[in-house]
């Protein structure tokens, strides 16, 4: 999200009213995620949530990339779609983490593991977002978005190997 926020801020800094469009898009992504990921979890489990989250994030990167390489100015509503998709994808990560830890960890360690995972995800997200955001602000070239797309594809590929159900004991 940090990466796309910085890209949109660069593209729409001089446009009045752009902030509320992006905030509403993010809120809609959170709202849609609360319904979507519950259904995905019920049908496909944690692995399904992680895989589909990677696909949605990759789609956000593709839409952002398309917005940047098409001649002319970047379009606000396209960035709002990117914000919606990125927020939707990120909503799955926290829910999948809690569900996965709850399924595999013993009860006495769950709270610690969930807290540590949330803290680790926040730190990694902030650092990676700052690094990619700095790169994104340094150039108007589309290759920083391609890095995000590659990371989304890698995340999806790794998610295919994630254990989905606890081992039988």
């Amino acid at each position: 999200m940090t990466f796309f926020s910085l890209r949109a801020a660069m593209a729409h800094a001089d446009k009045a009213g752009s902030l509320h469009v992006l905030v509403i898009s993010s809120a809609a992504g959170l709202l849609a995620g609360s319904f979507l990921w519950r259904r995905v979890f019920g049908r496909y489990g944690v692995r399904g949530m992680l895989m589909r989250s990677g696909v949605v994030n990759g789609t956000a990167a593709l839409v952002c990339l398309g917005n940047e390489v098409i001649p002319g100015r970047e379009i606000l509503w396209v960035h709002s779609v990117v914000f919606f998709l990125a927020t939707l994808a990120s909503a799955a990560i926290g829910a999948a983490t809690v569900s996965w830890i709850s399924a595999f960890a013993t009860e006495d360690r769950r709270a610690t593991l969930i807290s540590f995972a949330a803290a680790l995800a926040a730190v990694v997200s902030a650092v990676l977002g700052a690094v990619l955001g700095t790169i994104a602000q340094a150039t108007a070239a589309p290759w920083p978005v391609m890095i995000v797309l590659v990371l989304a594809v890698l995340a999806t590929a790794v998610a295919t190997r994630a254990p989905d159900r606890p081992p039988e004991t």
Side-chain angles (χ1 to χ4, degrees):
M1 250 344 262
T2 305
F3 174 80
F4 292 122
S5 299
L6 292 172
R7 288 302 264 197
M10 281 179 37
H12 308 293
D14 59 340
K15 294 182 183 123
S18 60
L19 179 61
H20 76 274
V21 171
L22 300 175
V23 170
I24 290 169
S25 297
S26 294
L30 284 173
L31 186 62
S34 68
F35 293 105
L36 174 69
W37 298 122
R38 184 171 9 122
R39 295 192 194 294
V40 171
F41 175 73
R43 180 171 270 177
Y44 302 105
V46 174
R47 184 185 307 138
M49 288 176 71
L50 294 173
M51 289 171 51
R52 283 158 181 80
S53 173
V55 170
V56 171
N57 200 27
T59 303
L62 282 173
V63 171
C64 188
L65 188 62
N67 194 32
E68 292 189 15
V69 299
I70 293 174
R73 293 201 47 105
E74 296 181 55
I75 303 169
L76 178 62
W77 71 264
V78 176
H79 271 133
S80 70
V81 170
V82 171
F83 267 61
F84 174 82
L85 292 172
T87 306
L88 180 67
S90 66
I93 302 304
T97 301
V98 170
S99 297
W100 192 75
I101 290 172
S102 296
F104 284 90
T106 60
E107 190 171 341
D108 61 322
R109 295 186 181 198
R110 284 183 191 151
T112 303
L113 290 172
I114 290 170
S115 299
F116 177 75
L120 181 63
V123 168
V124 169
S125 176
V127 169
L128 192 59
V131 168
L132 290 174
T134 301
I135 292 169
Q137 282 190 322
T139 179
W143 64 267
V145 181
M146 290 182 210
I147 293 172
V148 172
L149 177 60
V150 168
L151 289 173
V153 170
L154 288 173
T156 304
V158 169
T160 62
R161 300 184 48 147
D164 198 28
R165 304 283 182 226
E168 299 298 323
T169 54

